[in-house]
């Protein structure tokens, strides 16, 4: 049934991995120019929680939002919109520090309206691909990126239905594997470029021993410690992602290594994961 459902979705919405790869290469190629500009952008903190779908981003956002000083913004659409004029100038060869400063101000205004708080999280999945651009427009931003066993992520992506037309790579196991490796290459690039602004969290480590990981997360965010962050299931926040049921339960390992029950069916995914993606080929 899962295979049939994905074939039906694929027949309605096409996908080009080569287009995503080209976009990724263009984004990392922007970095040398971004490093050379220093916009007088707003330094207000904002917490981006990002990674692949089904990697644990909703859980980590809920942990941060359990803090009394943080509002949960969910998957906001504002970053890409705010950055668009600055990115257009950058690609035209006329990088404008003022355009990035304006982008940061526009983003913060929209994010605060949506989240209902001055300090907030943004769980937009696409942020992992443009960390350097967001960091330039928002010098106070911090980026938390989830790492999870790619076989569990791939299986969860394949068996869940996303909004029609979104995550178009999600209908084919081999393509999911290639996309995961593209994600990994981008994350590695930005984590190396901005080590003080990017924190990578292992989903397996978080679910095995939550407290030390959560304490490191809260410290990375520059927040005072609050015990409420250890019990995100009690936060009572409204969750509108596919993880709405999981985050209402105590942190556990129920979702770890679920791929093993379907290992033979997931062979195309597992094979595709063996090939790394080169962003500079």
């Amino acid at each position: 049934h899962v295979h049939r459902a994905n074939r039906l979705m694929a027949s309605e919405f096409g996908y080009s991995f080569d287009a995503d790869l080209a976009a990724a290469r263009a984004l990392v190629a922007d970095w040398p120019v971004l490093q050379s500009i220093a916009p007088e952008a707003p330094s207000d903190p904002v917490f981006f929680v990002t990674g692949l779908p089904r990697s644990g981003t909703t859980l980590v956002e809920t942990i941060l939002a359990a803090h009394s000083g943080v509002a949960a913004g969910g998957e906001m659409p504002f970053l890409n919109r705010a950055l668009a004029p600055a990115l257009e100038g950058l690609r035209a060869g006329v990088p404008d520090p003022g355009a990035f400063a304006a982008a940061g101000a526009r983003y913060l205004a929209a994010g605060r309206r949506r989240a209902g708080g001055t300090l907030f999280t943004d769980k937009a999945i696409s942020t992992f691909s443009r960390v350097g651009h967001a960091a330039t427009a928002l010098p106070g931003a911090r980026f938390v990126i989830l790492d999870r066993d790619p076989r569990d992520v791939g299986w969860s992506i394949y068996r869940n239905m996303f909004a029609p037309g979104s995550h178009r790579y999600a209908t084919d196991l081999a393509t999911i594997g290639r996309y995961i490796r593209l994600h990994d290459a981008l994350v590695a690039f930005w984590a190396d470029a901005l080590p003080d602004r990017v924190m990578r969290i292992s989903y397996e480590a978080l679910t095995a021993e939550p407290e030390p990981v959560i304490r490191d997360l809260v410290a990375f965010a520059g927040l005072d410690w609050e015990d409420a962050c250890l019990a995100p299931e009690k936060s009572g926040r409204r969750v509108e992602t596919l993880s709405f049921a999981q985050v209402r339960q105590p942190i556990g390992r129920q979702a770890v290594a679920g791929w093993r029950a379907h290992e033979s069916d997931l062979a195309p995914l597992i094979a595709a994961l063996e090939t790394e993606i080169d962003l500079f080929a």
Side-chain angles (χ1 to χ4, degrees), residues 98-251:
F100 278 92
R106 282 196 302 272
Y107 170 81
L108 284 172
R112 286 170 176 161
R113 283 195 302 270
R114 168 72 67 86
T118 300
L119 192 59
F120 62 91
T121 59
D122 182 343
K123 202 185 76 69
I125 293 295
S126 63
T127 305
F128 76 80
S129 65
R130 59 203 69 219
V131 170
H133 306 72
T136 302
L138 296 158
R142 294 293 180 269
F143 304 86
V144 181
I145 304 178
L146 269 292
D147 294 324
R148 186 184 176 192
D149 186 322
R151 296 162 297 187
D152 274 331
V153 171
W155 166 229
S156 189
I157 288 173
Y158 190 65
R159 69 185 177 88
N160 279 283
M161 191 177 102
F162 299 96
S166 65
H167 304 298
R168 296 187 177 195
Y169 61 87
T171 59
D172 178 82
L173 286 167
T175 304
I176 291 171
R178 295 181 74 198
Y179 189 87
I180 289 174
R181 288 308 182 214
L182 178 60
H183 161 273
D184 293 347
L186 280 163
V187 168
F189 177 85
W190 293 123
D192 182 66
L194 293 162
D196 296 333
R197 312 246 331 247
V198 174
M199 179 182 187
R200 301 179 69 171
I201 289 182
S202 162
Y203 177 83
E204 287 75 20
L206 172 61
T207 54
E209 292 189 65
E211 183 165 347
V213 177
I214 293 172
R215 285 187 176 275
D216 287 346
L217 170 64
V218 172
F220 172 75
L223 301 168
D224 294 330
W225 176 254
E226 291 185 4
D227 287 341
C229 294
L230 294 175
E233 73 279 4
K234 298 179 181 178
S235 69
R237 64 168 291 228
R238 181 178 178 180
V239 175
E240 297 181 351
T241 70
L242 293 171
S243 301
F244 68 92
Q246 291 96 317
V247 297
R248 292 180 182 142
Q249 303 297 321
I251 297 173

Side-chain angles (χ1 to χ4, degrees), residues 5 17 35 37 56 75 105 129 133 205 230 249 269:
F17 177 80
Q35 287 180 286
I37 65 176
E75 296 187 11
S129 65
H133 306 72
L230 294 175
Q249 303 297 321
L269 165 70

Side-chain angles (χ1 to χ4, degrees), residues 18-34 87 90-91 129-130 133 182 186 189-190 278-281:
D18 289 340
D20 270 349
L21 177 58
R25 286 173 170 164
L27 287 166
V28 299
D30 291 337
W31 181 235
V33 180
L34 289 172
L87 187 57
L90 184 70
R91 297 282 170 82
S129 65
R130 59 203 69 219
H133 306 72
L182 178 60
L186 280 163
F189 177 85
W190 293 123
D278 186 353
L279 293 175
F280 303 97

